[in-house]
Amino acid sequence: MSQQLALGIELDVAASFDSFFSADAAEAVTALRQVSDGFNAGPVWLYGSSGVGKSHLLQAACRARSERGGSAMYLPLSRAQEFDPQILEGCDSVDFLAIDDVDAVAGNTSWETALFGAVNTFLLNSAPLLLAAAVAPREVGFNLPDLSSRAGAHVVYRLPVLSDESLAALVAQRAVDRGLQFDSAAIEYLLRRVPRDMHELEQWLIRLDRASLAAQRRVTVALVRSTLEREHHVSG
């Protein structure tokens, strides 16, 4: 994880293949497992709307690769303003590269040039490469034709929106990971009233964890309702 620490980016402790819930994305998960295991060099492009698990899977793949003794680099370009594009010039020092939110730098000449260099290097070396965006490669709108061409060389998987059952199971598992006692009815109540985005849901789990500790009781519908009201969210 030294590369991650050098970037100031820590992988989500909950990001693993086992904690990803989506039967409809089984093919994509299998492909990423194979890449992280070294059985398939990729490249792979994941896309889908916010909250479907793109970042989760990229980080899970990096974690799995690192646990097998490899060196992995995870870079979320939604945070591109925190870094210099030259950071990608040194990416060949790792043997596994996962770049998230690729579409966030579309139209930015400096970042597109750096991204092309990194992608080209990994493709030429047949090294494992994972990219993720909200849209498919042909829809990103890169200004650099060569980058568009390289992006099109990826195997593409679309991650579907999680079903109600999958999302509820994921929230329940995250609650267990936190040691949080959560009534199933409370999970259903929460999911009807907050955005269906896992990052947003994680923040609500943190708030509910605090509320549960303060009240010294498990998370019930009543506790969720009072917490939502206290946070000036939709109640009812």
Side-chain angles (χ1 to χ4, degrees):
M1 295 296 179
S2 59
Q3 184 68 26
Q4 297 303 136
L5 296 175
L7 289 172
I9 300 170
E10 293 187 26
L11 300 178
D12 184 349
V13 295
S16 70
F17 289 123
D18 291 339
S19 63
F20 183 78
F21 292 84
S22 179
D24 294 334
E27 187 177 359
V29 174
T30 296
L32 265 62
R33 281 184 181 273
Q34 291 176 342
V35 171
S36 62
D37 286 342
F39 297 126
N40 185 344
V44 174
W45 182 292
L46 297 181
Y47 79 97
S49 58
S50 175
V52 296
K54 302 184 297 295
S55 299
H56 182 113
L57 287 177
L58 260 61
Q59 293 184 57
C62 284
R63 185 181 301 283
R65 185 70 170 198
S66 296
E67 290 174 349
R68 287 166 176 74
S71 56
M73 176 179 176
Y74 170 75
L75 180 63
L77 292 184
S78 59
R79 296 169 56 181
Q81 72 279 2
E82 300 177 26
F83 311 109
D84 188 292
Q86 291 182 343
I87 195 172
L88 286 173
E89 292 180 3
C91 67
D92 55 357
S93 64
V94 298
D95 57 27
F96 190 92
L97 179 61
I99 306 179
D100 207 351
D101 312 307
V102 175
D103 45 329
V105 299
N108 184 309
T109 301
S110 296
W111 272 107
E112 283 197 13
T113 301
L115 186 57
F116 169 73
V119 170
N120 202 40
T121 295
F122 272 72
L123 289 178
L124 289 175
N125 293 337
S126 297
L129 175 65
L130 307 177
L131 271 67
V135 294
R138 65 181 181 279
E139 299 172 358
V140 173
F142 291 126
N143 289 338
L144 194 62
D146 286 343
L147 179 56
S148 294
S149 176
R150 290 293 185 272
H154 287 63
V155 176
V156 179
Y157 295 97
R158 175 182 174 274
L159 296 184
V161 175
L162 290 177
S163 67
D164 291 344
E165 293 77 11
S166 293
L167 191 57
L170 181 54
V171 171
Q173 183 58 54
R174 290 288 197 275
V176 170
D177 293 341
R178 288 181 170 279
L180 189 59
Q181 294 183 310
F182 216 127
D183 289 351
S184 58
I187 293 178
E188 295 176 7
Y189 184 89
L190 179 66
L191 292 179
R192 290 198 301 268
R193 287 162 175 80
V194 301
R196 296 169 60 89
D197 179 288
M198 202 55 225
H199 178 72
E200 178 81 11
L201 286 167
E202 289 279 8
Q203 297 308 305
W204 280 108
L205 285 180
I206 292 172
R207 296 181 185 110
L208 289 166
D209 196 1
R210 292 170 182 162
S212 176
L213 286 172
Q216 290 294 299
R217 60 189 176 95
R218 64 189 299 119
V219 179
T220 61
V221 170
L223 185 63
V224 173
R225 182 187 298 113
S226 64
T227 304
L228 290 171
E229 291 173 350
R230 185 169 59 253
E231 296 288 341
H232 307 290
H233 208 75
V234 177
S235 61

